Amino acid sequence: MAFYRKRARRCRGDDGRVPTNRTPGRGPIALLSLGHACVDVYQGAVAALVPFLVAERAYGYAAVAGVVLAASLMSSVVQPLFGALTDRWAMPWLLPVSTLVGGAGVALAGVSGDYALTVAAVAVSGIGVAAYHPEAARVARRASRGSHTAMGWFSLGGNLGFAAAPLLVWAVVATGGLRASPLLVVPALAGAALCAAALRGVRARDAAAARTAPAPGRDDWRSFLLLTGAIVCRSVVFVGLSAFVALYVRERTGGGEAAGTAALFVLYLGGAVGTVAGGRLAARFGRVRVVQWSYALTVLAVAGVVLVPGPALYAFVALTSAGLYVPFSLHITLAQDYLPRRVGTASGVTLGLTVSVGGVAAPLIGAVADAVSLQAALVPLIALPALGRLLLRRLPEPHPPSATA
């Protein structure tokens, strides 16, 4: 009987090993996911402010693209630096502190009508976002113990924050104007409290897991760089659409601010479904195959957004969102498994540096839109997911080390 009880425990996974399709540590992961949502509100909020900056301050396409660029550069270029630091020293205190900094920057963005001060405020917010993600990804990886599904839930929080940002900004700014932006600090206060609670839950099991964790494997820089190139292509498409899809849908459908906000909401909300689906699909088909399929879908979806007129645009925006978000959490775990000795660096590059390229591309898209048309400026975005799919063609499926309880 003792033999059969022991065997049954092993079948359930109670022998200490955690299969990658399970979701261990649900309490800390849930808190980290909610905290992630509160932080990524401020990534989505900058793009959501664009129509109001155009309406209240008469900014042109290039000017609002500059605001998006400031947030993207500071949240992206600085992120690998924080990643390298977290590879050397654990800095869990960064989670609540960076959440507050990210919220304070966006809250101050609408206070002054001066363009330079607005850019400076969103840049400060970007620094807070940059400081948060590498350490949060490291803590989530430890709490998830190698589970793709758990990392999907962690990423889902960020996507929900993105999705909530247009509605939150619209609720605050549409009623009180840009000067009501200080109210946008509320999610940061909640996020800081959630991060502190999550860290308390992770700390004890983190120390126990560190004593029995397997030695990291070898770094595969070639595969990491190919993956990074594909993520760059994805980043340009995502940032470009985030910055201009609200204005584009208003042009193509003849709707008002609500029509543009709805399109941005659909773009972000699709990530909630896509991220969770990505983790489950990866458990069945493998991460690399799922990522490859997603990039192929994105090519067709973006073509529909750019070329199809009328209300059908919303369906293609939703498909684009799925194509962009299904591989999102898989990018993170793939990068971490390609560089198991530099998890913070892998997280910082994947979540940060690659996004900066999208931010750099945004002003170019805005300049072409000012010179020709917004539709013509968005046409090149169709080719980028195809290029990303080519880079992923020979990418190997990594085998992460077994996590231990």
Side-chain angles (χ1 to χ4, degrees):
M1 293 299 292
F3 168 80
Y4 288 110
R5 285 196 297 270
K6 183 176 181 181
R7 184 174 182 179
R9 286 196 301 270
R10 287 181 176 175
C11 291
R12 293 194 307 267
D14 294 339
D15 62 341
R17 293 200 176 272
V18 180
T20 56
N21 62 346
R22 294 183 66 191
T23 310
R26 292 182 178 179
I29 285 292
L31 292 171
L32 287 168
S33 180
L34 291 171
H36 195 186
C38 294
V39 172
D40 277 5
V41 160
Y42 299 109
Q43 292 207 76
V46 175
L49 285 170
V50 164
F52 299 100
L53 293 172
V54 171
E56 289 193 29
R57 300 181 182 174
Y59 288 171
Y61 289 131
V64 294
V67 174
V68 175
L69 173 63
S72 297
L73 279 179
M74 297 312 296
S75 68
S76 305
V77 174
V78 181
Q79 224 169 119
L81 173 61
F82 283 106
L85 291 174
T86 59
D87 279 336
R88 190 166 185 179
W89 301 288
M91 295 186 287
W93 54 267
L94 272 178
L95 271 62
V97 172
S98 60
T99 301
L100 293 173
V101 172
V106 167
L108 295 174
V111 173
S112 173
D114 184 78
Y115 181 75
L117 292 178
T118 300
V119 170
V122 298
V124 168
S125 177
I127 292 173
V129 171
Y132 172 85
H133 281 97
E135 181 66 5
R138 185 193 69 81
V139 172
R141 179 181 173 88
R142 176 68 72 183
S144 69
R145 303 176 192 172
S147 167
H148 307 324
T149 304
M151 287 298 290
W153 285 109
F154 169 71
S155 300
L156 170 65
N159 298 334
L160 290 176
F162 263 104
L167 301 180
L168 178 64
V169 170
W170 185 83
V172 171
V173 181
T175 55
L178 287 171
R179 291 191 176 277
S181 66
L183 293 174
L184 296 175
V185 77
V186 172
L189 300 176
L194 288 166
C195 288
L199 290 173
R200 286 195 296 270
V202 170
R203 190 173 293 118
R205 72 180 62 198
D206 189 51
R211 290 193 293 269
T212 56
R218 297 175 60 184
D219 292 335
D220 182 356
W221 282 99
R222 176 185 176 277
S223 297
F224 175 75
L225 292 175
L226 287 173
L227 177 66
T228 299
I231 299 173
V232 166
C233 296
R234 184 250 184 215
S235 169
V236 174
V237 175
F238 180 75
V239 175
L241 290 179
S242 295
F244 296 108
V245 73
L247 298 173
Y248 183 67
V249 169
R250 287 170 59 183
E251 287 184 4
R252 297 283 282 175
T253 64
E257 290 180 357
T261 299
L264 192 60
F265 176 69
V266 170
L267 179 66
Y268 291 163
L269 183 63
V273 178
T275 302
V276 175
R280 296 187 179 278
L281 290 170
R284 181 173 181 180
F285 300 106
R287 288 173 289 177
V288 172
R289 290 180 66 187
V290 172
V291 171
Q292 290 170 341
W293 296 341
S294 300
Y295 277 68
L297 170 65
T298 304
V299 176
L300 300 176
V302 174
V305 171
V306 176
L307 303 176
V308 174
L313 266 176
Y314 289 100
F316 285 103
V317 170
L319 285 175
T320 300
S321 179
L324 292 172
Y325 273 112
V326 163
F328 184 77
S329 66
L330 307 182
H331 287 154
I332 301 171
T333 60
L334 281 170
Q336 291 175 337
D337 289 339
Y338 286 139
L339 298 184
R341 297 179 181 272
R342 296 173 175 83
V343 170
T345 299
S347 303
V349 171
T350 305
L351 294 169
L353 187 60
T354 53
V355 179
S356 69
V357 177
V360 170
L364 298 178
I365 296 172
V368 173
D370 283 332
V372 186
S373 71
L374 185 53
Q375 184 180 28
L378 296 178
V379 167
L381 300 184
I382 300 172
L384 289 172
L387 176 59
R389 176 64 180 81
L390 288 175
L391 293 173
L392 296 167
R393 187 166 58 96
R394 295 182 180 273
L395 205 65
E397 183 74 40
H399 299 286
S402 299
T404 54

